[in-house]
Amino acid sequence: MESPLLLFPQLNISASKDKSYYKVMKPAHKEEANKASKAKQKRNRLSLLLQKTEFHEDVHLGKAANLKKAASVSPEEAVKWGESFDKLLSQKDGLDAFTKFLKTEFSEENIEFWIACEDYKKSKTTHELLPKAKTIYETFIQKDAPKEVNLDFHTKEVTSQSIKQPLISTFDAAQSTVYKLMEQDSYPRFLRSDPYLNLVQGRNPSRPAMRRRSRSFTVNDFQDVRPDFTIW
């Protein structure tokens, strides 16, 4: 009896050709996939570049609007900010300017905590107190809180105990401590800062300064600012 290989040699040839064809086509398919992947990456990079360009254009337009808004703060109004710390915080533009100033000193958590306490005291029902108190405590007071304020041990301990059954007065001691810290430390520096003096003297610098730890800024740094406290 003849060997199956002799009876059906074409099958072996066909199988051999199929294997060879697969070996040739596999790299070809892989190469096409790589090309398609690279083309997709280029499109993504182009899209990202266009988005960044649009973003920077929006920022530029925003700065121009801020500069125009700066002129709306009169020297007389700015002078009132220097009469007392309480008067500064009671005026919207003054609060915005001081908040921006603290951002340049990387201590904006103090004014944000003070604002949060003011909002907390406006709560109309006891049901509002617990969730707000918990949020304020976890954001500003507890150990390693994301925006922990500088409180003495006694004040922090009393506040922590009061959180269990919060009252309208729960944060009074802590708020008073932070208020005094800003009034005695940050507020005098604010009154000596270039942006504040420029407003008092009616000057309007044309070039904005970049955020840094230096005490030198431009009037633009004070404009269109809102306290960065959005937990309510």
Side-chain angles (χ1 to χ4, degrees), residues 20-114:
S20 299
Y21 175 78
Y22 177 76
K23 290 179 180 179
V24 172
M25 291 301 294
K26 185 176 181 181
H29 285 302
K30 186 176 181 180
E31 183 178 351
E32 291 177 1
N34 289 338
K35 288 181 179 180
S37 177
K38 290 180 180 179
K40 184 176 181 181
Q41 290 176 4
K42 287 182 179 179
R43 288 195 299 270
N44 290 339
R45 286 197 296 269
L46 178 60
S47 176
L48 181 60
L49 179 61
L50 292 174
Q51 290 175 7
K52 287 183 176 180
T53 301
E54 293 174 356
F55 171 78
H56 287 301
E57 288 177 351
D58 291 341
V59 169
H60 177 73
L61 293 174
K63 288 181 178 179
N66 291 342
L67 183 60
K68 183 177 180 181
K69 186 178 178 181
S72 65
V73 178
S74 67
E76 292 76 17
E77 182 180 356
V79 167
K80 292 180 181 179
W81 301 351
E83 293 178 0
S84 70
F85 186 49
D86 184 63
K87 183 161 291 187
L88 170 70
L89 298 186
S90 67
Q91 298 187 19
K92 179 180 178 299
D93 288 334
L95 177 60
D96 290 347
F98 185 66
T99 299
K100 189 61 176 181
F101 173 77
L102 292 185
K103 285 179 178 292
T104 66
E105 294 199 329
F106 300 90
S107 59
E108 63 267 28
E109 69 277 359
N110 291 324
I111 193 64
E112 289 176 6
F113 172 68
W114 183 85

Side-chain angles (χ1 to χ4, degrees), residues 134 136-146 148-149 156 160:
K134 184 174 183 293
I136 292 175
Y137 178 75
E138 293 177 351
T139 304
F140 297 102
I141 296 179
Q142 72 176 8
K143 184 179 180 181
D144 297 325
E148 186 176 3
V149 293
K156 179 174 287 191
S160 300

Side-chain angles (χ1 to χ4, degrees), residues 118-147:
E118 288 296 291
D119 179 83
Y120 175 82
K121 289 186 291 187
K122 295 176 183 177
S123 300
K124 297 180 179 179
T125 66
T126 55
H127 295 291
E128 294 180 51
L129 296 180
L130 184 58
K132 284 188 176 184
K134 184 174 183 293
T135 301
I136 292 175
Y137 178 75
E138 293 177 351
T139 304
F140 297 102
I141 296 179
Q142 72 176 8
K143 184 179 180 181
D144 297 325
K147 297 183 178 183

